[in-house]
Amino acid sequence: MEKILNYIDGAFEAPCSDQYLDNYDPSIGKVYSLIPDSDERDVNKAVDAATRAFPAWSTLPAQERSNILQKLADLIDRDLDKLALAESVDNGKPVSLARRLDIPRASANIRFFATAILHTSTETHITDAEAINYTTHAPIGVAGCISPWNLPLYLFSWKIAPALAAGCTVVGKPSELTPMTAFLFSKLCVEAGLPKGVLNIVHGLGAKAGQAIAEHPGVAAISFTGGTVTGKKIAATAAPMFKKLSLELGGKNPNIIFADCDFENAVATSIQSSFANQGEICLCGSRIFVERPLYEKFVEAFVKKTKALVLGDPLLNETNLGALVSAAHKQKVMSYIQTAKQEGGKILTGGNAVNPTGRCAEGYFIEPTIITGLNEHCRTNQEEIFGPVVTIMPFDTEAEAIALANSTPYGLSATLWTENLKRAHRVSAAVKSGILWVNCWLFRDLRTPFGGMKQSGVGREGGWHALKFFLEVKNICIKL
Ligand code: TXE
């Protein structure tokens, strides 16, 4: 069985413990590879390597850093099919989605930051005729990048690309549920000529390897994407050490549909925003609010389209929904469907675990599920389910829609459907979320800020926000 290895100081290594964890293919429910069960000894080695590599990498001319990173992006493109297949097998997502979204976005992220550093500028402030101030931005040091399982290579690249481009060296930890594409990526780093120690990848459990990264005094900044509970733990560890922190956490995003919307577009896109990647995207709109005059019509069309979605083998091109990432996660999502029923919810379609016939009979599949009849305060509408489950609720006024949208502790993203421009501006201003999409969903311009309010996180990624996170700002004042 294939053994994944840590990538430390440019070499591939077994974990110090010599222990491995099982890695499951969730579409068949079987172990197919082994993951290093790394601990603080491996993290110490990785931080040492990153510390040694920092002086040379951080002072390498931007053009040379850019060339190496662009080579890496080219290699990802070259290996698109191989990486997409690996992502699908590791995560359970449809291979067509990985080929269309995950892998191309990973190379796009790297290319974006590799070229962004060629176009930077700094501020200068002239204080009357007395002094001149100029501001420098220097890489902060060794960065810890901890990423989740839902968009494995995509979100890993979203963190390491700005860190490496900024001149930091990195200790990265992909999720223990989906380590494969980061492992394949580490091989591409060698091929691209990334100097040893610049990027180190330690595989293993969050509470062990991840926690050791958060605790290590040699790590100056932590960029994390994952659950809110984990984010709190990392903040509790890293904040008293005054580490710089960027936390991209969970969401319970509203999808607000006004009666004057472009109906066909709203329905079709809501299918995507509800069920893409089995609903395992932090930006999915899991609470759908529909203005009452449109409510019945929307529900009917939305249920019909949902029933037409193809659930099953992620390796087949016609599949729309694959497997959930793990048996434990499937259990968690099913328990929320149970909770919804206990809370008085009505299941309009779905609600069941599925065992497809053939190859995937033991996989972790759940039908796309639509629930109505719940109020905004119940657990189903307050807690992040992170699966193919949405609720639909009617509303009567714009003020009510805003109140419903803002009724959770989260504030990551929101979607709004209306043809009324003034209303679009008003509602966008009033909804408390870091990202607002009007008449679209997941439309991303990599230059724009990305991140959440309230319990959805601290800080922003994307564009200059991401680069600046990995840079330390210094002002130099010279008296004239
Ligand atoms: O995430 P975790 P999990 C949400 C979603 C999901 C829940 C839990 O609701 O059901 O989070 O998922 C590492 N110190 N999202 O358990 O645990 C871990 O190894 C340092 C939302 O997979 O937060 C992994 O690499 N690191 C989300 C990463 O943190 C630790 C995407 C994320 O794992 C650690 C995924 C610790 N103490 C899940 N504990 C989004 N918003 O995109 C764990 N880790």
Side-chain angles (χ1 to χ4, degrees):
M1 188 165 301
E2 181 171 13
K3 271 186 182 166
I4 288 172
L5 294 170
N6 288 332
Y7 172 58
I8 297 176
D9 209 13
F12 295 95
E13 290 190 1
C16 293
S17 65
D18 210 29
Q19 298 296 308
Y20 289 82
L21 308 159
D22 289 338
N23 190 24
Y24 282 80
D25 172 346
S27 71
I28 56 171
K30 291 195 174 58
V31 177
Y32 82 102
S33 63
L34 297 171
I35 315 161
D37 185 6
S38 308
D39 57 33
E40 79 275 7
R41 292 171 291 174
D42 304 284
V43 169
N44 289 344
K45 284 166 78 175
V47 176
D48 287 349
T51 307
R52 282 194 303 276
F54 181 74
W57 181 251
S58 58
T59 53
L60 201 65
Q63 184 67 64
E64 288 181 40
R65 285 204 303 274
S66 176
N67 291 346
I68 296 172
L69 293 173
Q70 290 194 64
K71 177 89 196 289
L72 253 174
D74 292 343
L75 293 174
I76 292 176
D77 289 345
R78 183 197 69 189
D79 288 358
L80 170 66
D81 288 339
K82 180 180 172 187
L83 290 164
L85 178 62
E87 203 70 295
S88 171
V89 170
D90 217 21
N91 169 276
K93 69 177 68 207
V95 68
S96 56
L97 182 70
R99 201 183 293 122
R100 196 175 68 244
L101 180 83
D102 294 72
I103 309 304
R105 288 272 182 109
S107 64
N109 286 339
I110 294 174
R111 219 169 259 124
F112 175 85
F113 290 107
T115 50
I117 53 168
L118 304 177
H119 307 279
T120 57
S121 60
T122 54
E123 304 130 59
T124 302
H125 300 91
I126 297 170
T127 315
D128 302 324
E130 290 189 55
I132 182 167
N133 294 270
Y134 64 95
T135 308
T136 61
H137 299 89
I140 192 165
V142 177
C145 296
I146 302 174
S147 56
W149 47 258
N150 56 333
L151 301 163
L153 187 62
Y154 172 4
L155 289 180
F156 190 62
S157 70
W158 187 233
K159 299 187 171 306
I160 64 159
L164 296 174
C168 289
T169 53
V170 171
V171 177
K173 199 200 84 64
S175 169
E176 59 273 33
L177 296 176
T178 53
M180 187 54 88
T181 46
F183 176 52
L184 297 174
F185 178 75
S186 56
K187 295 182 182 179
L188 298 183
C189 291
V190 175
E191 197 178 338
L194 190 72
K196 64 178 192 173
V198 167
L199 172 66
N200 306 273
I201 302 178
V202 180
H203 295 275
L205 298 170
K208 219 192 258 185
Q211 185 67 24
I213 295 172
E215 284 173 5
H216 200 296
V219 175
I222 303 278
S223 174
F224 168 79
T225 298
T228 296
V229 172
T230 315
K232 278 184 194 163
K233 269 190 214 148
I234 291 178
T237 304
M241 299 171 82
F242 300 107
K243 294 185 182 197
K244 229 171 159 185
L245 270 177
S246 171
L247 303 172
E248 297 300 334
L249 309 176
K252 190 73 184 171
N253 309 308
N255 178 10
I256 310 168
I257 299 172
F258 284 95
D260 69 353
C261 69
D262 170 350
F263 182 74
E264 296 302 325
N265 195 3
V267 173
T269 308
S270 295
I271 291 286
Q272 288 301 314
S273 66
S274 302
F275 302 123
N277 207 47
Q278 302 73 243
E280 296 166 328
I281 304 181
C282 53
L283 305 166
C284 279
S286 52
R287 298 177 300 143
I288 304 176
F289 302 111
V290 187
E291 199 172 7
R292 199 167 307 264
L294 193 68
Y295 183 77
E296 296 298 334
K297 185 179 168 193
F298 178 87
V299 169
E300 190 187 331
F302 188 69
V303 169
K304 191 172 167 206
K305 270 202 184 320
T306 300
K307 283 183 171 164
L309 291 171
V310 179
L311 172 78
D313 190 340
L315 300 186
L316 299 177
N317 273 333
E318 64 266 28
T319 296
N320 301 120
L321 279 90
L324 269 69
V325 73
S326 67
H329 192 55
K330 175 187 164 191
Q331 204 46 48
K332 176 184 154 184
V333 174
M334 285 309 295
S335 80
Y336 271 108
I337 292 173
Q338 199 51 37
T339 300
K341 287 180 190 163
Q342 284 159 4
E343 289 175 330
K346 185 175 167 200
I347 313 278
L348 298 191
T349 183
N352 302 303
V354 178
N355 297 98
T357 49
R359 194 182 83 87
C360 297
E362 303 299 319
Y364 314 134
F365 296 85
I366 296 181
E367 292 171 334
T369 301
I370 303 171
I371 305 169
T372 55
L374 293 170
N375 68 40
E376 72 273 27
H377 304 298
C378 66
R379 278 187 61 206
T380 310
N381 275 326
Q382 287 291 314
E383 298 176 18
E384 188 183 38
I385 299 173
F386 219 63
V389 179
V390 292
T391 62
I392 313 183
M393 277 169 277
F395 67 87
D396 290 299
T397 65
E398 187 179 304
E400 189 189 355
I402 293 166
L404 288 168
N406 289 337
S407 66
T408 76
Y410 294 104
L412 186 53
S413 73
T415 309
L416 168 59
W417 292 92
T418 180
E419 294 291 290
N420 179 330
L421 186 59
K422 283 186 181 161
R423 172 151 60 202
H425 286 301
R426 270 195 314 268
V427 177
S428 299
V431 171
K432 291 189 175 64
S433 70
I435 303 156
L436 234 127
W437 280 296
V438 179
N439 300 333
C440 60
W441 177 71
L442 209 60
F443 190 94
R444 281 286 295 138
D445 179 328
L446 295 181
R447 294 169 299 180
T448 61
F450 176 95
M453 298 179 179
K454 303 196 279 183
Q455 293 198 17
S456 289
V458 177
R460 294 291 181 272
E461 299 187 301
W464 294 119
H465 295 270
L467 275 176
K468 281 185 178 161
F469 174 75
F470 294 105
L471 297 168
E472 198 72 277
V473 179
K474 184 187 280 182
N475 188 67
I476 296 162
C477 174
I478 302 178
K479 190 85 166 57
L480 295 175

